[in-house]
Amino acid sequence: SLAPWLLGSLVLWLFGSPDSCFSPVKSKMADNEMSASQLRQRYGKGGTASDSSLSASQLRGRYGIENNRHGGGNDGGMAMIVGGLVVLVIVGAIGYFLMNQ
């Protein structure tokens, strides 16, 4: 009475679910097998795939939102340092000329 359950559990553990390993035909086409126009129809703005089925990256692509870099980019940091140094040099030069009059 315990042997069929144990054998079934062992088969599922070794081979996974019957649907995943014994079905000869996949029900959906993988993304890498689709043409570019099919991918645009599916994932593009107004596409057939719902927003809830898309990954975060696909949603950003669909709506044209850039990646959030969380400090990975150094767009304004160097400009702020250079600007601060220029201001310090100007203030220092003005102070020097005012002290030596």
Side-chain angles (χ1 to χ4, degrees), residues 2-101:
L2 185 61
W5 176 83
L6 187 59
L7 182 61
S9 297
L10 182 62
V11 168
L12 283 176
W13 180 73
L14 287 173
F15 300 108
S17 70
D19 295 335
S20 66
C21 63
F22 297 120
S23 66
V25 178
K26 298 286 184 190
S27 62
K28 290 187 177 181
M29 183 186 295
D31 287 346
N32 59 358
E33 297 173 355
M34 297 174 125
S35 69
S37 61
Q38 288 173 322
L39 288 170
R40 278 191 298 274
Q41 279 181 329
R42 185 170 185 177
Y43 298 120
K45 194 159 186 150
T48 57
S50 66
D51 285 352
S52 61
S53 68
L54 299 179
S55 68
S57 177
Q58 290 168 327
L59 284 170
R60 285 192 300 269
R62 176 178 271 187
Y63 294 106
I65 299 170
E66 291 185 27
N67 289 338
N68 189 1
R69 292 183 285 180
H70 291 296
N74 197 6
D75 295 337
M78 191 60 150
M80 291 292 287
I81 292 171
V82 171
L85 289 174
V86 168
V87 168
L88 282 175
V89 168
I90 292 173
V91 169
I94 292 172
Y96 175 78
F97 287 118
L98 287 177
M99 296 293 267
N100 291 328
Q101 277 186 342

